[in-house]
């Protein structure tokens, strides 16, 4: 274990508590040069998460420049593993010979591995493992999801005026005048409502007032987007209330954020996030105790 890398890993913000836990585990296994090769399953067992999550988090760490991965295969029993190099100073470019592409498990589709050292040469220096688990990794690895778009920093992007993209049915209740404040938001909401529930929503004075408040809170340029997105929400309480305008008004800003990030949040998801944070806090405490014991042993 490298205490310096452990401290550096604890200070780095990676945007995900489980990803940080995986990074800390790699630092715990790494030599002072930042080299380690624990198996996916070993990391999953130690971090108490799934093997697939470990693979995704490692791919994300590589993309962030905090980790460099070298794929090896063809061990004495046919096992293979990845060798990881922690680059917590911001990431160094991959070394020559490192496999960067996904490969299949056949000879024809596999990229060539590094050539062995010529006979009589020193070859690669022997490595000492920092974990005792058996090595057995799958050949095909997942590709971490790429971000759909990059946010423009420091720029205000105006919304362009658009014409209606579909004809408004004559039997749709509510305002028909396109210059009306609530027309666009209501049309988007009502069309999405009928598509999901098979009937038009009720339009009355109370609904008009609530929709006007939604527009005041979110802005007329985006309220119609959020109104249509609201009909995709699958929270049990919202569905049982048939996606009422009152529910949209009650959490208008929250639904705006969910629309902007395309990530729904309900009670189950919130509890999962809370449990994940609890597990991560417990892991941090366990690692702190482990470092203290190792420091005391080293001092003796």
């Amino acid at each position: 274990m490298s205490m310096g890398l452990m401290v550096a890993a604890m200070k780095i913000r990676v945007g995900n508590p489980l990803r940080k836990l995986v990074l800390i585990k790699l630092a715990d296994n790494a030599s002072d040069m930042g080299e380690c090769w624990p198996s996916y399953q070993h990391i999953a067992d130690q971090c108490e998460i799934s093997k697939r999550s470990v693979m995704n988090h490692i791919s994300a760490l590589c993309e962030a420049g905090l980790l460099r991965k070298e794929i090896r295969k063809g061990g004495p029993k046919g096992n293979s593993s990845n060798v990881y190099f922690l680059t917590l100073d911001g990431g160094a470019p991959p070394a020559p010979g490192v496999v960067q592409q996904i490969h299949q498990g056949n000879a024809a589709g596999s990229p060539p591995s590094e050539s062995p050292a010529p006979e009589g040469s020193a070859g690669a220096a022997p490595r000492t493992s920092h974990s005792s688990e058996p090595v057995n990794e799958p050949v095909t690895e997942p590709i971490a999801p790429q971000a759909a778009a990059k946010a423009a920093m420091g720029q205000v992007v105006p919304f362009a005026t658009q014409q209606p993209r579909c004809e408004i049915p004559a039997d749709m209740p509510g305002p028909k005048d396109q210059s009306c404040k609530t027309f666009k938001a209501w049309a988007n909401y009502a069309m999405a409502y009928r598509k999901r529930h098979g009937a038009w929503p009720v339009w009355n004075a109370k609904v008009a007032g609530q929709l006007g408040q939604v527009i005041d809170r979110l802005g007329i340029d985006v309220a119609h987007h959020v109104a249509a997105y609201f009909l995709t929400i699958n929270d049990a309480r919202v569905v049982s209330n048939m996606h009422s305008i009152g529910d949209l008004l009650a959490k208008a800003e929250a639904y705006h954020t969910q629309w902007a990030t395309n990530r729904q949040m309900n009670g189950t998801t919130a509890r999962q996030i809370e449990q994940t944070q609890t597990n991560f806090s417990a892991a941090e405490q366990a690692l702190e105790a482990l470092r203290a014991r190792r420091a005391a042993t080293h001092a003796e």
Side-chain angles (χ1 to χ4, degrees), residues 100-124:
Q100 294 297 316
Q101 299 177 348
I102 303 302
H103 57 85
Q104 304 299 322
N106 54 59
S110 300
S113 59
E114 293 184 353
S115 301
E119 184 175 359
S121 64

Side-chain angles (χ1 to χ4, degrees), residues 12-293:
I12 288 178
R13 300 180 64 88
V14 298
N16 184 289
L18 291 181
R19 189 168 303 154
K20 186 168 185 178
L21 183 58
V22 171
L23 179 63
I24 292 172
K25 172 57 185 170
L26 290 171
D28 183 50
N29 278 98
S31 66
D32 289 336
M33 300 300 294
E35 180 185 26
C36 61
W37 52 97
S39 68
Y40 288 132
Q41 189 60 57
H42 178 71
I43 299 173
D45 292 341
Q46 295 291 305
C47 297
E48 298 185 29
I49 58 177
S50 68
K51 184 176 179 180
R52 177 64 58 183
S53 294
V54 172
M55 297 166 76
N56 289 334
H57 288 313
I58 285 180
S59 296
L61 290 171
C62 290
E63 289 185 357
L66 300 174
L67 191 67
R68 180 163 58 84
K69 178 175 65 176
E70 176 183 343
I71 300 176
R72 342 179 270 183
K73 56 184 179 177
K77 296 184 179 180
N79 294 342
S80 61
S81 68
N82 299 326
V83 180
Y84 304 106
F85 300 90
L86 274 73
T87 53
L88 303 185
D89 56 349
V98 175
V99 178
Q100 294 297 316
Q101 299 177 348
I102 303 302
H103 57 85
Q104 304 299 322
N106 54 59
S110 300
S113 59
E114 293 184 353
S115 301
E119 184 175 359
S121 64
R127 294 185 171 115
T128 302
S129 176
H130 291 263
S131 60
S132 58
E133 82 283 359
V135 173
N136 190 3
E137 300 292 357
V139 176
T140 304
E141 301 181 51
I143 301 177
Q146 299 286 338
K150 294 183 178 179
M153 302 302 293
Q155 297 180 353
V156 177
V157 181
F159 286 89
T161 304
Q162 297 179 349
Q163 296 298 323
R165 289 179 293 178
C166 62
E167 184 178 353
I168 303 300
D171 63 336
M172 185 187 79
K176 300 294 193 298
D177 183 2
Q178 295 191 20
S179 63
C180 176
K181 171 183 175 180
T182 57
F183 170 78
K184 196 171 184 179
W186 172 255
N188 278 265
Y189 170 81
M191 296 285 284
Y193 188 100
R194 188 178 71 162
K195 181 178 180 180
R196 172 148 190 172
H197 296 298
W200 290 115
V202 174
W203 173 264
N204 54 36
K206 179 180 179 180
V207 169
Q210 290 175 330
L211 188 57
Q213 292 180 59
V214 171
I215 295 172
D216 291 339
R217 286 164 61 174
L218 301 183
I220 197 168
D221 291 328
V222 297
H224 60 286
H225 292 297
V226 179
Y229 172 82
F230 175 64
L231 268 295
T232 68
I233 298 298
N234 292 313
D235 183 87
R237 186 185 61 80
V238 173
V239 174
S240 66
N241 290 342
M242 306 299 289
H243 294 85
S244 70
I245 289 290
D247 284 340
L248 172 58
L249 175 61
K251 298 172 58 178
E253 291 81 7
Y255 290 128
H256 174 273
T257 300
Q258 293 183 43
W259 162 74
T261 61
N262 196 26
R263 185 181 65 179
Q264 292 194 19
M265 180 67 64
N266 53 35
T268 300
T269 305
R271 286 191 294 271
Q272 290 174 345
I273 293 175
E274 181 182 14
Q275 185 61 45
T276 298
Q277 182 61 45
T278 301
N279 292 339
F280 179 67
S281 297
E284 282 188 317
Q285 293 175 6
L287 287 172
E288 185 66 30
L290 178 62
R291 285 197 300 270
R293 287 198 300 269

